[in-house]
Amino acid sequence: MIKIPAIKGFDEQAFQKYFKNTGWLMFGKLLSLIVGLIIARYLGPTGFGDLNFILALVAIMAAVGALGLDTFIIRELINEPNKQNEILGTSLGLRVIVNALLIPITVAFYLFFYDQVEVKATPLTLLVVLLSGASFFKSFNVIDAYFQSQVKSKYVVHVQNTVLLVAAALKIIVVSLGLSLFWIVLVLFIEGFILAIGLIAIYQKKGGNIYNWTFSWERGKGLLAKSFPLILSAVMVSIYMKIDQVMLMAVGREAVGIYSAAANLSEAWYFIPVAIVTSVFPAIIHARKTDLPRYKKRLGNLYDLLVLISLPVALFISFFAEDITMLVYGEKFPGVGIILSIHIWSGVFVFLGSASSQYLIAEGYTSISFYRTATGAIVNVVLNLWLIPLYGGVGASIATLVACAVTTFYLLILSKTREQGIMMLKSLFLISSIQKLKKH
C-alpha cells in the first residue's frame, strides 16, 4: 500500500484511510498498461491508430453519457442518505436513456467523419458500434459513486481488478492466436458488460437492493440542472484530451498510432490524481462546511502533494523518453520518444486541474468549470489546426500541453478564483513546499 508523504498540514491518520486501497488500484492500472503495450506492439502503428481513432471518437461521445453526475451523486448521498434508492435509481435511469441514444448518434458521427478522412482500408463501423455499446455499460458506474460516498471503494476496486484480469487474459489469447482488431474490440465490449454485472452484484451484497431503486423526474431535473455545466465541461475535457487522435487522422493512420503510443504511456498515471482527489473529496466537503481555514489548508496541501508526485516523473520521463520507448515498443513506432518527452508535461497540469476541479464543485462554480475547459478545448483545436500539418504528432503533443496549462490556470483570470490559481502556482514552483520545510 502507498504511504502518504509526511507533509505538514495533512491529518495523516484520516487521509491514510482514504488511500488504503490505492495499491490495488495501481495494480489494475499497471496491468492495463502492460496489456495495452502488448496490443500496441501486436497491431503496429496502423492497427493501433485505427483502434485509438475509434476510442477517441467514442470517448468524446461518452463524456455526454456520464451526464457529469458522479460528484453530485456522491454529494447528494452524503447530504440525503435516506434518499439513496431515489438518487441512485434516478441517476441510472438518466444515464441509460442518454447512453442508449448516443450509440446511433456516435455511429452517424463516425460515418460522417469516415467519409471526410477516407479511412477505407478497414471496415471500422462495426467496431464503433461495439465500443459505443461498451460505453453504454458505464451507466452502472453510479454504483461506484455510491461506494465512494461511503468511503468503501475497496469493493469496487476488487470487482474492477477481477474483471481486468479476465479481460487481460482474453486479450492475450487474442494476440496469441493472431486474431484481428475486431476480436480485441469484442473483448472490450465483453469487459464493459462483465463490469456492469459485477457492480450490480457487489451492490446487492454490500450496498442494498437495486430492485428498490426508484426514478423521480423531479430529482432528475434537479440533478441535470446542477450537472449540466459539468456535462459540457466533460465534453470539453474529452475534446482537448482526445481530439488529437481524431485530427491526426488527416495525416494518416500510422501517425495516429505513433501519437497514441506516446499518449498511452504519458497518460498511464493519470489515475493517481483521480484516485487521490476522489478519495479526499468527502473530507474536503466536510471541512468546507465546518472549518474554512482547514478547508483552504487541505486544498493547498493537496496541490503540493500532486506537484511533488508529478514533477519528478515528468523530469525523469523527459530525459529518458527515447530509451523508454525503444525498450517498450522497439523500432515499430519511430518518433514516439520526442512526442512522449513533450506530452508527459501535460500530466503536471492534469494533476493540478483534477484538484482544482473539486474546489470549483465544492464552491458551486460549475459554470466556471465549463468556461475553463471550453477555453482549453478551443486552444487545443486551434493549435492542432496550426501545428499538426507542420509537425504531425509532435505538434499535437505541444497543443495538448498548452491546452492543459491554459485550462488549469484559467482560475487566475477571475477575481473569486484567483486565490486558488495563486496557490497552484506556488505549489507548481515549489514555493509553498519550501516554506513548509523552512518551518520545520
Side-chain angles (χ1 to χ4, degrees):
M1 297 298 173
I2 289 178
K3 184 74 173 176
I4 299 171
I7 300 176
K8 187 176 180 181
F10 275 102
D11 182 345
E12 184 175 340
Q13 184 177 0
F15 276 81
Q16 196 66 40
K17 177 182 178 183
Y18 296 116
F19 283 95
K20 63 182 179 180
N21 298 301
T22 308
W24 282 109
L25 184 60
M26 286 188 66
F27 165 76
K29 295 299 181 180
L30 181 60
L31 179 61
S32 292
L33 175 62
I34 292 171
V35 174
L37 296 178
I38 292 172
I39 290 174
R41 291 185 67 124
Y42 172 68
L43 293 176
T46 301
F48 199 55
D50 287 340
L51 176 61
N52 281 276
F53 171 66
I54 302 171
L55 285 171
L57 284 178
V58 172
I60 292 172
M61 294 296 182
V64 178
L67 296 176
L69 288 177
D70 285 346
T71 302
F72 284 105
I73 294 171
I74 295 170
R75 191 171 75 176
E76 296 286 302
L77 288 170
I78 292 172
N79 292 335
E80 299 182 77
N82 59 319
K83 297 290 186 179
Q84 173 183 321
N85 290 327
E86 180 183 294
I87 293 167
L88 293 174
T90 302
S91 300
L92 176 63
L94 291 173
R95 283 188 169 177
V96 166
I97 293 169
V98 173
N99 280 312
L101 292 172
L102 281 173
I103 295 175
I105 292 173
T106 303
V107 173
F109 181 85
Y110 165 73
L111 290 174
F112 173 80
F113 194 84
Y114 172 91
D115 290 336
Q116 295 295 312
V117 299
E118 299 183 353
V119 186
K120 299 185 183 297
T122 309
L124 302 181
T125 308
L126 178 58
L127 307 189
V128 175
V129 174
L130 286 172
L131 287 177
S132 297
S135 181
F136 170 83
F137 296 128
K138 291 182 181 179
S139 302
F140 291 90
N141 283 356
V142 297
I143 295 173
D144 185 10
Y146 162 75
F147 283 109
Q148 287 181 37
S149 74
Q150 304 300 306
V151 197
K152 294 179 180 178
S153 294
K154 65 179 180 180
Y155 299 123
V156 173
V157 172
H158 292 161
V159 170
Q160 290 172 336
N161 283 340
T162 301
V163 174
L164 193 60
L165 285 170
V166 173
L170 291 174
K171 290 171 187 174
I172 290 173
I173 290 172
V174 168
V175 172
S176 300
L177 295 177
L179 301 178
S180 67
L181 176 60
F182 166 80
W183 292 96
I184 293 175
V185 172
L186 182 61
V187 170
L188 292 174
F189 176 85
I190 295 170
E191 181 179 2
F193 175 74
I194 297 175
L195 180 57
I197 298 298
L199 288 174
I200 293 171
I202 198 65
Y203 181 81
Q204 293 294 102
K205 185 177 181 180
K206 299 291 185 179
N209 189 342
I210 196 170
Y211 295 107
N212 291 333
W213 288 8
T214 59
F215 186 90
S216 166
W217 281 112
E218 287 302 313
R219 173 75 66 175
K221 291 176 185 176
L223 286 171
L224 290 177
K226 295 173 185 175
S227 68
F228 183 71
L230 290 184
I231 299 173
L232 298 177
S233 296
V235 172
M236 294 303 170
V237 169
S238 294
I239 287 174
Y240 82 70
M241 294 300 293
K242 297 296 182 180
I243 199 67
D244 311 79
Q245 282 107 319
V246 176
M247 298 181 73
L248 267 171
M249 188 60 83
V251 177
R253 299 157 66 202
E254 185 175 347
V256 179
I258 292 171
Y259 177 83
S260 299
N264 285 0
L265 283 178
S266 177
E267 297 169 4
W269 63 323
Y270 284 7
F271 74 94
I272 293 177
V274 173
I276 292 174
V277 171
T278 299
S279 297
V280 303
F281 185 62
I284 290 174
I285 289 292
H286 179 72
R288 175 70 179 81
K289 293 179 180 178
T290 59
D291 190 343
L292 283 177
R294 185 179 180 86
Y295 165 67
K296 292 182 179 179
K297 196 172 189 179
R298 280 186 169 178
L299 282 170
N301 287 328
L302 181 58
Y303 297 147
D304 288 342
L305 176 62
L306 293 175
V307 168
L308 290 175
I309 294 172
S310 61
L311 203 57
V313 174
L315 284 168
F316 178 82
I317 298 295
S318 288
F319 282 113
F320 298 101
E322 291 290 347
D323 298 317
I324 292 170
T325 53
M326 182 59 66
L327 177 66
V328 171
Y329 295 117
E331 298 180 354
K332 284 189 173 182
F333 291 80
V336 70
I338 182 63
I339 296 174
L340 175 61
S341 67
I342 298 169
H343 198 287
I344 191 65
W345 285 96
S346 301
V348 178
F349 301 107
V350 169
F351 272 50
L352 286 172
S354 297
S356 58
S357 291
Q358 299 306 306
Y359 155 76
L360 293 175
I361 292 170
E363 294 293 330
Y365 295 154
T366 51
S367 60
I368 294 176
S369 180
F370 165 68
Y371 289 127
R372 81 167 186 164
T373 49
T375 301
I378 292 169
V379 167
N380 198 19
V381 170
V382 171
L383 288 178
N384 275 326
L385 288 171
W386 173 37
L387 295 174
I388 284 178
L390 295 174
Y391 307 111
V394 172
S397 63
I398 294 171
T400 295
L401 173 57
V402 174
C404 288
V406 168
T407 302
T408 298
F409 287 102
Y410 179 87
L411 300 187
L412 290 169
I413 298 174
L414 305 175
S415 59
K416 58 185 176 182
T417 59
R418 190 168 295 136
E419 180 184 10
Q420 291 296 313
I422 293 172
M423 286 171 62
M424 287 192 292
L425 275 178
K426 287 183 177 179
S427 295
L428 179 61
F429 292 103
L430 305 178
I431 295 172
S432 53
S433 296
I434 292 171
Q435 288 174 340
K436 289 173 185 175
L437 288 174
K438 286 182 178 179
K439 290 180 181 179
H440 279 289

